[in-house]
Each structure stands twice: as structure tokens, then as C-alpha cells.
Amino acid sequence: MDTPEVLSASARTLYTLPEDEPDLSTMRSWLNTLLRDLTEDVRLDILLVCTELASNSYEHAGGPRAVRVQRHTDFIRVEVDDHTPAELPQLGRSRLGDTRGRGLILIANLSRCWGTREFTGGKTVWAEVNA
């Protein structure tokens, strides 16, 4: 995969997630390398947000799935695409039971903003973390 060693300002890169079995540790290593020049606190927040978004795509949606990361001067935007447009995420609610549904609350607390965007045949769930 051709990706920059460090993601520079205004740059954007894509990571395709495996179809069936999540390999979130590889995704986190990729992201950690791209953002290694950020402070550890910021980098860990971004890694957690990205992991939650990717995990949600495996638990609640169908593939194919992809992660996009775009670096701006003062924030990092993480986007995760899936191919289940009808099931938009809801803060604090999960179809998997009462003990679930905290991932988006965590994302909302770590991010400056987050949201969803539908596209033909799927959706993007995104979050922006201050850098």
C-alpha cells in the first residue's frame, strides 16, 4: 500500500478494511504511523475514535468497508464507509441490547463533531478530532 510516512496537512489517505474479519490492530498501526508526529494524547484519541467507527461498521453494517483519514491544520477527520445505508447510527442506542451503544457517546466526547452521510448503496460515519 502506497501511503505517506507521515500524513501532512491537507493530505488524505484511504485504508480498505478486510471484508469478513476485522483486523483493527493493523488499521491502528497504519494510522499510528501516519500520525506519529502528533502528541500521544491526540494520537490515542484519534486511534480510539477510528477503532470505534470501524468496529461499528462490522457490528452494524455490511461491507465493503474503508477508512479515510484527512489531516487539516488544526484537526484530523476520520471517515468510515460501509454498504448499509438504511441503518444510521443513533447516539446511545444499539439494536444489540441495553449494555451496548456507548461507542458513539465516546466518539462524541472525544470529537469536536461527528455525523453521517449517505451515498448510493451505503453511508459514511465521520468524526473530527482537534489536533
Side-chain angles (χ1 to χ4, degrees):
M1 175 181 329
D2 291 333
T3 58
E5 284 188 28
V6 172
L7 192 62
S8 60
S10 299
R12 182 178 181 160
T13 190
L14 175 78
Y15 180 85
T16 302
L17 291 165
E19 183 65 34
D20 297 324
E21 291 292 322
D23 186 1
L24 300 178
S25 64
T26 301
M27 178 202 68
R28 288 172 60 89
S29 294
W30 167 79
L31 188 55
N32 198 41
T33 299
L34 291 177
L35 303 175
R36 72 176 173 269
D37 62 318
L38 296 175
T39 66
E40 183 179 20
D41 287 344
V42 171
R43 199 171 59 251
L44 290 174
D45 285 352
I46 295 166
L47 288 170
L48 184 54
V49 165
C50 191
T51 300
E52 284 295 326
L53 291 176
S55 295
N56 283 349
S57 75
Y58 281 99
E59 288 195 29
H60 303 287
R65 299 166 188 87
V67 175
R68 271 186 312 285
V69 180
Q70 186 168 15
R71 185 167 184 169
H72 297 269
T73 304
D74 58 342
F75 69 95
I76 307 295
R77 183 180 176 102
V78 176
E79 301 177 339
V80 176
D81 296 340
D82 65 53
H83 283 79
T84 307
E87 293 188 36
L88 296 177
Q90 295 181 5
L91 190 65
R93 296 174 66 187
S94 174
R95 65 175 173 73
L96 299 176
D98 292 341
T99 61
R100 305 297 297 273
R102 293 184 289 266
L104 283 178
I105 293 171
L106 184 63
I107 290 168
N109 286 322
L110 293 173
S111 308
R112 69 185 207 161
C113 57
W114 73 277
T116 60
R117 181 179 68 244
E118 289 188 74
F119 59 85
T120 303
K123 69 178 171 298
T124 301
V125 184
W126 58 268
E128 295 177 355
V129 178
N130 288 325

